[in-house]
Amino acid sequence: RAVAPAGYRVNTNLSGGTAEKPVGTVHVALAYGAGVEAWRYLFHGDRIEIKAQTAEEALRRLRDHCLGRVHG
């Protein structure tokens, strides 16, 4: 879990290993003054690669939110 400036919070959760949540299943959430957004991903690779992809995506979401970019 990482805390960003200006009241933002980014949380990641690596889960997986079941039929419903295969290995590489990751949840990223962004909390800020007006609410919370969350996304689910399925990344591929070994544990280190999945952690790197997770960090990159979490930081991208935070950056894009701060810049006013909207994603689904």
Side-chain angles (χ1 to χ4, degrees):
R1 193 181 309 167
V3 177
Y8 287 89
R9 179 172 290 241
V10 176
N11 191 6
T12 61
N13 180 345
L14 284 70
S15 59
T18 67
E20 297 83 28
K21 295 180 184 176
V23 172
T25 301
V26 174
H27 295 89
V28 174
L30 172 64
Y32 49 93
V36 176
E37 297 178 56
W39 304 271
R40 181 179 183 263
Y41 299 94
L42 181 58
F43 294 131
H44 300 284
D46 63 28
R47 186 161 179 81
I48 292 172
E49 292 169 330
I50 292 169
K51 282 183 160 186
Q53 292 172 69
T54 301
E56 289 173 11
E57 187 60 22
L59 291 171
R60 184 184 74 81
R61 290 289 186 167
L62 175 61
R63 179 199 65 213
D64 288 354
H65 180 81
C66 290
L67 294 174
R69 298 177 184 162
V70 178
H71 298 282

